[in-house]
Every structure is written in C-alpha cells, then in structure tokens.
Amino acid sequence: GQQLNQSPQSMFIQEGEDVSMNCTSSSIFNTWLWYKQDPGEGPVLLIALYKAGELTSNGRLTAQFGITRKDSFLNISASIPSDVGIYFCAGQLDGNKLVFGAGTILRVKS
Amino acid sequence: KAGVTQTPRYLIKTRGQQVTLSCSPISGHRSVSWYQQTPGQGLQFLFEYFSETQRNKGNFPGRFSGRQFSNSRSEMNVSTLELGDSALYLCASSPQYSGTAKQFFGPGTRLTVL
C-alpha cells in the first residue's frame, strides 16, 4: 500500500532556531497537507499544497510540494516554545482519503 | 464557524462489547472521514462518507462500520471490541469529495478497551 516516509522522527529545538522536516513517498499525490497535533487533541491543518513545485507560507511556516509529486518539506523559521508538538505530513489521492507519515516530534532543548 | 465536534471524548469498554462514536462536521461540509490513531500504527484511514454514501474504505475488518445522516453527521460503530481497538478515533470533515479538498479534524474520541 501507499506509505509516507517522514523524517526526522524527532528533533530538539532551541528557541530561535530554524527547523526542517520532510516526507517522501513511492506514490504520486494530488495534494500534500501538513498538520500539527498537540497532546490530547486532533491534528490541526497548517498548510495545504495543490500543485507540483508550489511553495506556500503560513506565518513562520513554509512548505513545498515536490516537482515529482512524491515529496514535500516543511520549514519553521525562528522557532518558539509553542512550536513543540507532533507534525504530520499527509498525501491525498482518492477522494478525501489521507495517507499519513509517522510524524516528527518537536521538543525543546533544556 | 464551529469546528468539528466528536462525542464522547472518552470511553471505556470491555472486550466483546460494541461502541458507537459520533461526529458532527463543520456546518456546510458534506464529507466525513474517520481515522484510527495508535502509537504503533499511526494514523490509519477507516472510511469516508459523502452524501450519506460510503465512498472509500480502508483495510479494517468488518467489525468497523459507519453511516452518515442527511444532516452530514456521521457515526462509527465497532462491534465485538478487542483490546487492540484501543485508540484515538478521529473524524475529519471536508466541504466536498475530491482529491484536493482541505480536511479539518475534530478532537477525537479516546477509546480504551479493557
């Protein structure tokens, strides 16, 4: 079946640092989405990408839809403590079915 | 607009019982999808309903079923519960059925099977 490989699995950040994560797939997707999930809550949509090569920003977040339609990355600039959480990429193909990556856990360096 | 609501938020059941979870999508949204989230398997697609019809189904046994009502509200049912069904069950709503529609998730129902 379709699988998304999301990396890194986890990372530690210091306030002010830039963060980067990515997803790759063996399948082509029509849409890539990035979500953030806080403990005990559902995923919150951060960015949606619809076209190969598209680069979209949402505040300090920037994401790109890969040219091959098989990959996407998410960058967070100048991280702040509330950026901590789990970030998921998701590819969308048939109807509204989403295939999710395993997630990237963002933690704060103490 | 109010977001996606799910009830109940927490549920404890025993093996062999059955359970029904409810999801109310964002007003005007006609598509509801259900996902199971576990530490081991991550987020897995269960099924999607649009205009009261199941449009897509994931790889789950027949014990997992769902339906959608004319007001777009959806219910998910799990019969003969197993320990492995313990999970966070999430529903997502979308305005239309397509490969490009944004999907918005509810807070989930945490099901514990003892």
Side-chain angles (χ1 to χ4, degrees):
Chain A
Q2 296 156 329
Q3 283 188 319
L4 296 186
N5 297 309
Q6 185 171 351
S7 63
Q9 278 188 316
S10 66
M11 56 196 310
F12 286 88
I13 58 171
Q14 217 146 32
E15 190 171 349
E17 282 183 343
D18 293 346
V19 170
S20 188
M21 60 192 78
N22 69 81
C23 267
T24 59
S25 169
S26 56
S27 304
I28 290 173
F29 289 104
N30 292 333
T31 302
W32 281 91
L33 302 134
W34 285 91
Y35 288 89
K36 178 179 183 249
Q37 187 175 26
D38 292 325
E41 299 296 327
V44 173
L45 182 63
L46 300 173
I47 290 181
L49 302 156
Y50 301 106
K51 288 185 204 173
E54 179 182 354
L55 187 71
T56 296
S57 293
N58 177 8
R60 294 177 296 105
L61 276 59
T62 302
Q64 184 158 31
F65 192 148
I67 291 289
T68 64
R69 293 170 63 196
K70 293 183 179 180
D71 63 307
S72 177
F73 73 74
L74 175 71
N75 286 341
I76 305 173
S77 62
S79 56
I80 60 177
S82 61
D83 289 336
V84 163
I86 306 178
Y87 291 79
F88 292 98
C89 62
Q92 186 170 350
L93 185 55
D94 303 323
N96 288 323
K97 175 183 174 182
L98 295 178
V99 177
F100 281 88
T104 294
I105 303 171
L106 220 54
R107 296 188 178 99
V108 175
K109 263 186 212 172
S110 57
Chain B
K1 266 187 184 176
V4 179
T5 57
Q6 291 187 246
T7 57
R9 289 294 308 272
Y10 302 92
L11 208 45
I12 299 176
K13 291 285 187 179
T14 55
R15 276 182 300 174
Q17 287 188 309
Q18 67 129 25
V19 68
T20 299
L21 313 181
S22 180
C23 171
S24 292
I26 293 170
S27 177
H29 284 196
R30 295 168 63 197
S31 164
V32 173
S33 300
W34 287 91
Y35 293 82
Q36 182 196 64
Q37 186 176 29
T38 59
Q41 299 298 317
L43 281 147
Q44 300 285 322
F45 173 79
L46 279 155
F47 29 63
E48 177 189 6
Y49 287 87
F50 180 80
S51 294
E52 300 175 68
T53 303
Q54 188 180 91
R55 300 296 177 130
N56 216 334
K57 192 175 187 313
N59 296 323
F60 279 82
R63 300 185 296 107
F64 292 81
S65 62
R67 58 178 175 167
Q68 186 180 35
F69 302 95
S70 57
N71 62 359
S72 295
R73 191 177 69 86
S74 176
E75 285 181 349
M76 189 193 111
N77 185 277
V78 189
S79 62
T80 320
L81 284 165
E82 300 176 1
L83 295 178
D85 297 334
S86 293
L88 182 67
Y89 289 90
L90 294 157
C91 85
S93 92
S94 182
Q96 65 231 33
Y97 175 74
S98 75
T100 58
K102 289 180 183 177
Q103 294 188 62
F104 301 90
F105 282 84
T109 294
R110 171 74 62 187
L111 172 65
T112 302
V113 182
L114 301 175

